[in-house]
Amino acid sequence: MAHKPKIALYWCSSCGGCEESVVDLAEDILAVAEAAEIVFWPVALDAKYDDVARLDDGAITATLINGAIRLDEHVSMARLLRKKSRLLFAHGSCAHLGGVVGLGNFFTNEEILNRVYCDVPTVNNPDRVLPRPETRQGTTVLKLTGLHDMVRSLHQVVDVDYTIPGCPPPPALVKEAVMMVLEDRLPPKGSIVADTRALCYTCPRKETRPEMLEVPSFKRVYEIEWDPEQCFLNQGVVCMGPVTRGGCMAQCIQANMPCRGCFGPVDNVRDQGAKSASLLASLMESTDEEQLKKIVETIPDPGGLFYRYSLASSIMKGRVRRRP
Amino acid sequence: MTNDFEPIIVGFLCNWCSYEGADAAGRARQCYPSNLRVIRVMCSGRVDPQFVFQAFKQGADGVLILGCHPGDCHYKDGNRQALKRYTLIKSMLDAFGIEQDRLRLDWISAAEQEKFVQVVSEMTERVRQLGPLMPRANPLKKLDSNRSTRIENDMRFLQRKHKKISTKARKIESTK
Ligand code: SF4
Ligand code: SF4
């Protein structure tokens, strides 16, 4: 009993989906709870930050952090948990690459705050009150944790040992990661708990993917009645399988939806969005500039599509800063 | 807007035509803006979109891709691939707040030294008008400044409190 390994889970800028991937372990979570002691998990257990701070350094065997980093609070918690844990896992696309919340880097904080707190049609805020780092009322000063000017991945803030990709990761991968720790069969540091090759290699539709492929225009899934057996690209539907790390057991494909790239780039690719652009460019069936422009127009919001999960960790990191 | 801003233009020049064209301009002692930083690639089709973004990230204010005329590619259709990528990269620039004119693709044969000079000059002038590009700061640098945060403060406060309580308790204990 005394020597049970300790596990901690924490969320930063997260939608809660990754927490769900832990809950979805269902009965398996009992096995984990049997073999390990969960010392900190704000979503499910009552523990305070202070309880973590009082642990010895390295006392936690493994910590899983999900969500991206965009508040001072996230940074201090990530740093604290890093200090207290022997192993740190980036859990899910947001911690891995910045994730969907990382798309915020296409906008300025001002735009985001105005949109969320004032301009959304369901919000009624005529005085345009925005959250501020400090509010004074008489002699009391109320403080809010600072909002960073950009979203970051966990890797950009602390040293990360392993990554569980996915948005959210399939429960099987979460289980595998935890079992890796409990059974002490750890891969080399920096490993990503998934395949090293692209999704296409394990896709059930790969046989229908032709060697050479060119499409006259791209289609969105609602625009056609697509064949549930055929490779999506072959039907002109954008599928990120060729440039996305496999290991998800092709869950989206099996649910008859094309891949959107949540497992991130394959090994040796630095910028997932740029690689996705390269992929789709090679499929465009034309050599005439005007015609090509027309094909490109059939992809709405290319930036958002290609960088859906990886903007914060891409080469550009987001929108350029405006000149004053 | 008149300015003395000197933009940096990174040019990817294909080995077989455009680089030769640039060389010919040099041999003929033609003048062209020194803003261009040439990177020789074997084919314009070698220019991965990652290269373009890496150039912007590392300080380029504009990126120029120069290749052989369509039909003249040393590798048959590398330049057509370049054209496809170029059209798609252009469509992504808006989201990044990068003006479309900061990226330009053109065809320059080994004999077109005048065209080379003209394209480089035009590009330099256009980017000079657009001004400097400022990519997002390197993530780690900014964070290292010691921003004391609410939680760190709270934690310090709590730890002090614990200490106080335990010393007080010890005192009471010892006076007993
Ligand atoms: S990785 Fe996906 S599921 Fe997990 S927190 Fe981010 S958006 Fe939610
Ligand atoms: S492109 Fe998509 S549908 Fe086609 S084989 Fe690859 S993952 Fe499967």
Side-chain angles (χ1 to χ4, degrees):
Chain A
M1 181 73 196
H3 290 310
K4 266 193 186 179
K6 291 186 169 65
I7 302 233
L9 295 118
Y10 189 66
W11 56 352
C12 293
S13 190
S14 151
C15 73
C18 282
E19 303 285 346
E20 200 58 43
S21 73
V22 180
V23 176
D24 281 348
L25 288 172
E27 299 85 57
D28 286 342
I29 201 158
L30 297 176
V32 172
E34 185 78 8
E37 184 191 345
I38 301 180
V39 287
F40 182 61
W41 187 13
V43 169
L45 306 175
D46 183 23
K48 300 287 181 261
Y49 295 157
D50 196 35
D51 298 332
V52 181
R54 267 184 287 137
L55 291 171
D56 290 337
D57 286 359
I60 305 174
T61 317
T63 295
L64 272 65
I65 295 185
N66 69 74
I69 308 286
R70 75 184 329 176
L71 299 177
D72 282 344
E73 182 181 277
H74 299 149
V75 179
S76 38
M77 276 314 284
R79 285 184 178 161
L80 177 68
L81 284 163
R82 173 69 274 187
K83 221 164 82 192
K84 303 294 173 189
S85 324
R86 220 155 44 71
L87 299 169
L88 185 67
F89 283 76
H91 176 190
S93 305
C94 293
H96 176 199
L97 304 162
V100 174
V101 291
L103 285 173
N105 285 359
F106 274 144
F107 304 89
T108 60
N109 276 359
E110 208 187 340
E111 286 169 319
I112 294 174
L113 292 175
N114 278 325
R115 171 86 189 145
V116 173
Y117 291 95
C118 308
D119 302 336
V120 169
T122 48
V123 165
N124 183 14
N125 181 5
D127 298 336
R128 303 189 81 83
V129 182
L130 296 179
R132 275 175 300 169
E134 250 186 48
T135 307
R136 280 173 193 280
Q137 208 155 42
T139 50
T140 5
V141 186
L142 298 170
K143 284 189 182 165
L144 273 181
T145 186
L147 176 66
H148 294 178
D149 60 351
M150 66 190 284
V151 180
R152 294 178 172 87
S153 73
L154 187 61
H155 297 255
Q156 290 169 338
V157 179
V158 290
D159 186 36
V160 173
D161 295 297
Y162 301 107
T163 298
I164 315 169
C167 181
L173 279 196
V174 179
K175 187 181 166 199
E176 166 61 14
V178 174
M179 289 330 254
M180 248 164 52
V181 177
L182 296 183
E183 293 168 3
D184 198 20
R185 45 177 177 84
L186 293 167
K189 185 179 159 146
S191 298
I192 296 180
V193 191
D195 291 354
T196 48
R197 294 192 303 177
L199 170 62
C200 288
Y201 284 100
T202 48
C203 175
R205 302 189 188 185
K206 69 170 178 216
E207 299 307 329
T208 60
R209 189 181 149 202
E211 198 59 29
M212 278 294 287
L213 181 62
E214 283 197 322
V215 295
S217 73
F218 293 105
K219 307 216 177 48
R220 305 184 78 179
V221 272
Y222 64 80
E223 291 171 341
I224 55 164
E225 265 191 45
W226 66 106
D227 179 345
E229 306 286 320
Q230 277 233 6
C231 168
F232 279 105
L233 284 177
N234 205 15
Q235 307 181 59
V237 175
V238 173
C239 180
M240 296 303 183
V243 287
T244 303
R245 185 182 295 276
C248 56
M249 290 147 281
Q251 292 189 62
C252 296
I253 312 283
Q254 290 189 30
N256 205 8
M257 288 306 273
C259 170
R260 280 295 169 262
C262 73
F263 265 50
V266 292
D267 286 354
N268 302 328
V269 171
R270 166 74 187 78
D271 188 303
Q272 186 181 15
K275 257 307 181 245
S276 309
S278 217
L279 161 74
L280 292 194
S282 68
L283 301 178
M284 300 196 290
E285 187 182 26
S286 174
T287 48
D288 169 66
E289 191 166 351
E290 286 314 306
Q291 190 57 34
L292 284 171
K293 275 190 191 149
K294 289 215 179 80
I295 304 181
V296 168
E297 274 165 21
T298 60
I299 311 172
D301 185 17
L305 176 65
F306 302 154
Y307 286 100
R308 185 180 287 197
Y309 300 95
S310 65
L311 182 62
S313 54
S314 68
I315 292 171
M316 291 301 291
K317 308 273 186 303
R319 203 180 170 87
V320 293
R321 286 176 293 152
R322 290 287 95 198
R323 288 179 298 281
Chain B
M1 183 166 64
T2 60
N3 58 41
D4 46 12
F5 160 61
E6 287 300 339
I8 295 174
I9 315 283
V10 167
F12 295 101
L13 272 57
C14 94
N15 182 51
W16 305 100
C17 298
S18 310
Y19 194 83
E20 281 294 310
D23 217 20
R27 276 198 307 271
R29 303 196 176 275
Q30 297 239 16
C31 287
Y32 64 88
S34 60
N35 304 60
L36 183 72
R37 314 284 193 272
V38 174
I39 297 176
R40 172 158 59 160
V41 287
M42 287 311 280
C43 175
S44 54
R46 176 65 184 94
V47 181
D48 187 311
Q50 294 184 105
F51 297 1
V52 175
F53 288 118
Q54 191 68 41
F56 281 131
K57 178 74 185 182
Q58 289 195 330
D61 303 296
V63 174
L64 200 55
I65 305 170
L66 301 178
C68 310
H69 284 266
D72 289 348
C73 177
H74 194 77
Y75 307 100
K76 231 171 101 202
D77 63 356
N79 50 4
R80 296 209 173 97
Q81 290 301 332
L83 176 64
K84 292 182 184 185
R85 285 197 192 129
Y86 164 78
T87 349
L88 200 49
I89 302 173
K90 274 220 145 171
S91 75
M92 300 160 71
L93 293 182
D94 269 353
F96 285 105
I98 301 174
E99 295 85 350
Q100 302 234 343
D101 287 356
R102 290 187 191 268
L103 177 65
R104 177 167 172 178
L105 169 84
D106 225 312
W107 313 127
I108 287 171
S109 78
E112 290 176 320
Q113 28 171 300
E114 275 88 22
K115 185 173 178 194
F116 172 77
V117 173
Q118 179 212 331
V119 168
V120 175
S121 312
E122 280 174 15
M123 180 75 179
T124 307
E125 273 328 299
R126 180 68 190 116
V127 177
R128 197 195 306 279
Q129 281 167 12
L130 290 172
L133 193 72
M134 294 157 79
R136 296 243 174 177
N138 192 321
L140 288 172
K141 252 190 240 157
K142 276 205 119 173
L143 276 179
D144 277 343
S145 62
N146 221 343
R147 291 161 80 169
S148 76
T149 65
R150 190 168 64 109
I151 288 192
E152 278 164 8
N153 285 340
D154 282 0
M155 234 121 62
R156 253 176 251 134
F157 171 74
L158 282 169
Q159 272 158 5
R160 273 203 305 273
K161 213 168 166 188
H162 279 303
K163 223 173 163 184
K164 259 193 206 156
I165 294 171
S166 45
T167 22
K168 220 177 186 176
R170 245 179 279 131
K171 262 189 202 155
I172 296 170
E173 201 96 318
S174 58
T175 51
K176 261 186 199 165

